[in-house]
Amino acid sequence: MSRAALEARCLDLTRLALPAVAAARGWPIRADHCFQRVLLDAACCGVWYDRIAGRPAYAHAPAPLLAEAVRLGEAVLAGAVALAPLNRQSLAWRRVGRASLSQQSASSEALHRLL
């Protein structure tokens, strides 16, 4: 998939597809920017702004990170990956801020167990 197609699919997932099913699935988030935060943080294994220079993140993310965010978004939409744990992990990374390398490593390992 081209970089442009990845970005378009990321926006489609986070602006339309995921918000459209959020209430029915009882998800804790509904807004597009929240879905973008969760998916990009998970793809980055930490807060996205530590790995992506520039805003908006989806427009500046390297193609491999964007591809992982799209893969996760598709998996969440299909019900293969649970959104709530991804959201909790994203929020935990943000509470920790700039954690030590060992803390980030432990968080990354926990995320991969979720996936």
Side-chain angles (χ1 to χ4, degrees), residues 8 15 19 24-25 28 35 39-40 49 56 59 62-64 66 69 72 81 83-84 94 97 114:
R15 289 181 177 170
R25 294 187 184 182
F35 288 108
L39 297 178
L40 287 169
Y49 47 76
L66 196 55
L72 286 169
V81 171
L83 180 73
R94 287 157 188 275
L114 293 172

Side-chain angles (χ1 to χ4, degrees), residues 7-108:
E7 187 173 322
R9 183 59 183 151
C10 183
L11 291 176
D12 180 62
L13 284 165
T14 59
R15 289 181 177 170
L16 301 172
L18 296 170
V21 299
R25 294 187 184 182
W27 288 343
I29 59 176
R30 306 275 194 283
D32 62 348
H33 65 276
C34 294
F35 288 108
Q36 291 167 11
R37 168 186 54 82
V38 168
L39 297 178
L40 287 169
D41 282 1
C44 291
C45 294
V47 292
W48 64 259
Y49 47 76
D50 285 343
R51 302 261 324 266
I52 301 170
R55 310 296 185 267
Y58 61 80
H60 294 90
L65 286 178
L66 196 55
E68 179 61 8
V70 168
R71 185 194 71 76
L72 286 169
E74 297 284 8
V76 167
L77 187 60
V81 171
L83 180 73
L86 295 178
N87 183 52
R88 285 191 300 272
Q89 181 61 69
S90 172
L91 294 173
W93 280 322
R94 287 157 188 275
R95 279 191 297 275
V96 169
R98 296 185 181 271
S100 71
L101 186 56
S102 64
Q103 287 171 317
Q104 283 196 357
S105 177
S107 293
S108 295

